[in-house]
Amino acid sequence: MKRSLSVLILSLLCAVLLTGCSSGASKEKAREGAKVTIRLAEAHPADYPTTDGDRKFAELVKQASNGRINVEVYPGGTLGDENSVVSQVQSGGTVDMTRVSSATLTSFNPQMGLFALPYLFRDSSQEWAFLNSDKGQQLLKDLQTSNMMGLAYYESGARSFYSSKPLTKLADLKGQKIRVQQSAITLEMVTALGANPIVMPYGDVFGALQTGTIDAAENNAPSFESANHYTVAKNYILDGHQRVPEVLLMNLAMWNKFSPADQKIIQDAATASVATEKESWAKYEEKSNAKIKAAGVTITSVDNVAEWQEAVKPVIEKNGAQFKDLIDYIHTLK
Ligand code: BDP
């Protein structure tokens, strides 16, 4: 009796241990094989170049993971404005990923303020030489200190001012109320140009231009056009003061839960989606420019950009010190 009892206890113990072990193993397996849904927030409309990039990313992740990792793209700002979605991505809320302007990231990670420095890049090729360099990629990696995994940069062209008031020269900016992104450097830049900066979410700009709460704003042609700002602000001056790249981001805790193999799938998909976004950008920018022109917007090109650069010099002197190495490096790039 005693013996059979101990045999029973022993076999029970074995069974518990075994199930314990095997359930541990199958849990591990399940995690590898489990379906994961990633919610990705996008502020722009469904046909915008960044959304094309997001969707390409989702498609490539799905393919490479045999449908196991499903990225759901929510365009049109339906999950909230950029500030609130970045907060959620950072804190591990209901948004796991987003594509945002690096300007929005400045309040979460001051290093991203580099891109707000006016006239930092000569053109797109110098910008991309930097973004693709180790130093540019390091800035993405450094977002990890803010609990976010930076996966890729997307193209966002150059930003220029547009107004409902006449705007064909620098002096016209004097006293104009200009909406800006939440970025201390941009606020200083607009002040240095003689205007009054007002921070407000992108989604509120159209209404604010209509009601006259603001006179002006600044953006690239695709945003100026797709958000219909061009129907209210009929003066666009192409000073190209900033080239602010877009960033594709994931919550760091979520990233860390993926196996190295899945991390590779996600990173490779993000990297490969850049080409799609850039291609779509080139076409969309052309289409936007044509639409703006056809709508009768007064478009002024800037021949004397040196005058604008001179006006913002104090802003660069004050804020450039923290980015000195990066700025020196950028100047070495073609
Ligand atoms: C656009 C960016 C978008 C920003 C917007 C803005 O693509 O992410 O929200 O500018 O000005 O160019 O806030």
Side-chain angles (χ1 to χ4, degrees):
M1 178 69 189
K2 234 184 177 180
R3 193 167 167 265
S4 56
L5 191 66
S6 48
V7 167
L8 185 71
I9 290 175
L10 202 65
S11 39
L12 271 175
L13 202 64
C14 278
V16 167
L17 275 176
L18 276 174
T19 18
C21 283
S22 76
S23 89
S26 63
K27 245 192 218 153
E28 195 47 45
K29 250 192 165 171
R31 206 159 67 90
E32 290 280 335
K35 289 209 167 193
V36 185
T37 299
I38 299 175
R39 285 156 60 87
L40 190 162
E42 171 59 69
H44 287 301
D47 67 342
Y48 198 85
T50 52
T51 317
D52 284 344
D54 304 335
R55 272 197 304 256
K56 184 69 187 176
F57 164 71
E59 179 197 316
L60 293 174
V61 167
K62 195 169 199 164
Q63 251 171 30
S65 68
N66 292 321
R68 202 163 35 79
I69 308 174
N70 182 30
V71 181
E72 290 175 350
V73 178
Y74 293 85
T78 48
L79 299 185
D81 69 37
E82 292 195 16
N83 247 305
S84 78
V85 294
V86 173
S87 298
Q88 293 204 53
V89 169
Q90 187 183 38
S91 62
T94 54
V95 184
D96 310 302
M97 280 191 74
T98 186
R99 183 292 314 161
V100 279
S101 168
S102 51
T104 310
L105 293 174
T106 316
S107 0
F108 300 84
N109 190 297
Q111 280 286 84
M112 285 282 150
L114 169 75
F115 302 114
L117 289 173
Y119 309 104
L120 175 67
F121 299 111
R122 198 178 39 239
D123 53 22
S124 165
S125 80
Q126 192 185 40
E127 178 190 1
W128 279 93
F130 174 72
L131 298 179
N132 290 329
S133 72
D134 289 349
K135 289 183 198 291
Q137 293 295 310
Q138 190 59 44
L139 284 184
L140 277 186
K141 291 194 188 115
D142 289 346
L143 287 170
Q144 292 183 41
T145 59
S146 313
N147 291 323
M148 295 181 281
M149 178 68 196
L151 293 168
Y153 292 111
Y154 281 167
E155 175 68 62
S156 192
R159 299 177 76 97
S160 294
F161 292 101
Y162 47 82
S163 179
S164 54
K165 293 190 171 161
L167 181 53
T168 55
K169 55 185 184 306
L170 174 55
D172 291 337
L173 283 179
K174 201 165 176 56
Q176 292 210 23
K177 288 175 284 175
I178 305 186
R179 177 271 172 173
V180 290
Q181 293 176 290
Q182 174 72 58
S183 149
I185 296 176
T186 304
L187 279 155
E188 287 178 28
M189 174 191 76
V190 166
T191 308
L193 292 172
N196 302 322
I198 298 177
V199 174
M200 98 177 27
Y202 182 56
D204 296 348
V205 177
F206 178 72
L209 282 169
Q210 256 184 336
T211 57
T213 310
I214 54 171
D215 306 307
E218 44 80 60
N219 224 313
N220 50 55
S223 288
F224 179 41
E225 180 264 307
S226 66
N228 286 323
H229 298 174
Y230 76 105
T231 60
V232 204
K234 296 245 169 211
N235 302 281
Y236 196 25
I237 186 157
L238 306 178
D239 69 293
H241 50 267
Q242 288 167 332
R243 304 192 70 92
V244 182
E246 315 284 6
V247 178
L248 193 62
L249 289 172
M250 181 185 276
N251 167 259
L252 186 61
M254 172 176 247
W255 169 260
N256 286 335
K257 274 190 211 140
F258 283 110
S259 66
D262 282 350
Q263 287 180 345
K264 184 168 176 349
I265 287 176
I266 293 166
Q267 181 58 69
D268 287 354
T271 307
S273 70
V274 176
T276 301
E277 194 269 348
K278 284 173 99 176
E279 233 170 78
S280 170
W281 182 269
K283 285 189 206 136
Y284 202 99
E285 194 174 40
E286 212 172 286
K287 192 195 85 183
S288 295
N289 278 322
K291 210 163 159 186
I292 294 162
K293 226 182 194 169
V297 172
T298 303
I299 304 169
T300 307
S301 50
V302 172
D303 306 324
N304 55 341
V305 76
E307 184 195 359
W308 296 66
Q309 287 168 332
E310 188 58 31
V312 298
K313 226 173 171 179
V315 181
I316 298 167
E317 274 160 13
K318 183 182 156 208
N319 297 286
Q322 55 179 314
F323 304 112
K324 188 178 180 312
D325 291 352
L326 294 176
I327 297 171
D328 289 348
Y329 174 64
I330 289 166
H331 290 160
T332 69
L333 300 170
K334 290 258 149 38

